Amino acid sequence: YNKRTGLFTSLNYAGREYLKRPMEINLFRAPTDNDRYIVSEWKRAHYHEAYSRAYETFIRQTKDAVIIISRMSVSAASVQRMMDIEAEWKIDCNGGIRCAMNVRRNNEFPELPRFGVRIFVKKTFEHVSYYGMGPIESYCDKHRASSHGLYRAKVMEMHEDYIRPQENGSHYDCDYVELSDGRYSFAVASEESFSFNVSPYTQEELECTTHHYQLRESDSTILCLDYAQNGIGSNSCGPKVLAPYRFDEEEFAFEWKLVPFVKCEKKF
C-alpha cells in the first residue's frame, strides 16, 4: 500500500502477484467521436493528467481485518484540487479487500469523463465473466441494445474495434466481474451497480492512435472499475449530453470488494 498515492502497488495472493502496475484513480477516457467538443474542456481541466495524493493515513487492526483509511485529493500540475476523497480499505483474513471511497468534487471543474479505479493486472488474466448489461458495450445513455445476464468472453473479444480508436467496451449496471487465467482469479462485486471495461489497450493508446490497425497492446490487461461515466450523447452532430446523463455530481460514494481466489485442480 502506497501512503503517498493512497492506492495499492502490489497485490499478492497464494504466492502469485496479481498487479503489473500500481492502481490509479481514473478520471479520463479516450475521447469518443461525440466527445470532440467537450474534450477541450476536459483537457483544460487536466483530467488526463490527474493523480491521487494521500495526506493522512491511519491503520488499525481488528480481530479479523486490517483497516487502512487515507484522506487524499486528486489534482494535476498547475491546477487546484479536483476533488477530495476519504478512502477506507478493509483487508480481511481471507485476502478480500473492501474499498469505500467518499468523494467531494470541486464544482468549479467541468463534468467528469468518469470516476473509478484503473487496475493493471498480468496479461495472463484473459478470461472475463460478468453479470450486467451485455454482450455489446453499454453506457448510462446507450444500453437499449443490451440485456442483463451472465456473460463470458476473452479480453480481446470485449474490445469494440472502431476504425478511429476511442473509449469502448464499457458494461453498465453490473453486479460483479471476474478475471481469470484459468487457475488464479479475482472477482469484483458491489451492492450498488457499477460499470467496467477490460481491454488489452490503455486509454492513452486509444487516444493517440489514428487508425485501429495501428493499435499496440499493453503488457497488461487493464480493468477500469467505474462508479460512473459521462454519457456518450450525440455531440459530433447533435446536442450536448442531456442533463440526466452528465456526470456532474458534487458528492458520491463508490464501494466495491475485490476477492482473489485459486481454482482447485481436479485430481483423478
Side-chain angles (χ1 to χ4, degrees), residues 13-249:
Y13 181 77
R16 175 71 173 266
E17 175 59 53
Y18 278 57
L19 297 187
K20 186 74 175 179
R21 287 168 48 182
M23 288 182 180
E24 297 176 356
I25 295 292
N26 193 20
L27 303 187
F28 197 61
R29 70 184 183 198
T32 67
D33 290 338
N34 291 333
D35 292 333
R36 64 177 57 187
Y37 300 113
I38 196 171
V39 70
S40 61
E41 295 183 36
W42 291 344
K43 289 289 184 74
R44 280 197 298 272
H46 293 260
Y47 286 155
H48 61 304
E49 298 172 335
Y51 58 86
S52 63
R53 184 63 179 265
Y55 298 98
E56 292 182 298
T57 296
F58 307 93
I59 302 171
R60 62 186 175 91
Q61 186 169 351
T62 66
K63 183 178 179 181
D64 57 1
V66 172
I67 299 169
I68 305 171
I69 298 173
S70 284
R71 296 194 178 103
M72 52 203 286
S73 70
V74 178
S75 57
S78 76
V79 294
Q80 59 191 354
R81 290 186 184 186
M82 300 167 185
M83 59 184 65
D84 291 298
I85 302 173
E86 183 167 304
E88 178 181 286
W89 305 86
K90 184 176 182 179
I91 303 104
D92 64 38
C93 55
N94 296 314
I97 301 174
R98 187 184 69 83
C99 175
M101 291 183 172
N102 292 304
V103 182
R104 180 188 292 270
R105 185 179 70 88
N106 184 340
N107 61 12
E108 293 182 18
F109 283 81
E111 60 206 65
L112 290 167
R114 73 186 332 150
F115 177 86
V117 177
R118 186 158 61 154
I119 304 175
F120 301 84
V121 297
K122 297 223 173 157
K123 194 80 172 170
T124 53
F125 288 92
E126 62 174 353
H127 303 283
V128 185
S129 63
Y130 63 96
Y131 188 85
M133 285 200 154
I136 63 173
E137 65 179 5
S138 54
Y139 297 83
C140 62
D141 62 343
K142 181 187 173 184
H143 55 262
R144 293 294 180 91
S146 301
S147 60
H148 275 102
L150 176 61
Y151 297 98
R152 295 181 175 88
K154 288 194 172 181
V155 170
M156 184 56 80
E157 295 170 343
M158 301 188 74
H159 172 72
E160 295 285 348
D161 199 27
Y162 292 107
I163 293 173
R164 189 184 74 80
Q166 55 195 278
E167 173 68 31
N168 72 86
S170 180
H171 291 277
Y172 174 67
D173 203 23
C174 291
D175 295 323
Y176 84 89
V177 57
E178 177 190 338
L179 270 70
S180 174
D181 67 1
R183 176 163 168 73
Y184 293 86
S185 306
F186 69 93
V188 175
S190 177
E191 292 183 6
E192 299 292 332
S193 63
F194 61 94
S195 296
F196 81 91
N197 75 311
V198 182
S199 179
Y201 306 111
T202 64
Q203 57 206 38
E204 292 83 1
E205 177 71 8
L206 293 170
E207 181 184 13
C208 73
T209 304
T210 54
H211 295 90
H212 59 164
Y213 63 84
Q214 299 170 318
L215 285 169
R216 293 180 297 178
E217 291 187 30
S218 169
D219 63 355
S220 309
T221 292
I222 301 109
L223 169 63
C224 293
L225 298 173
D226 292 320
Y227 165 76
Q229 278 201 53
N230 205 49
I232 297 298
S234 58
N235 202 207
S236 62
C237 58
K240 293 181 179 180
V241 173
L242 297 177
Y245 307 112
R246 293 178 197 158
F247 188 7
D248 56 5
E249 294 178 55

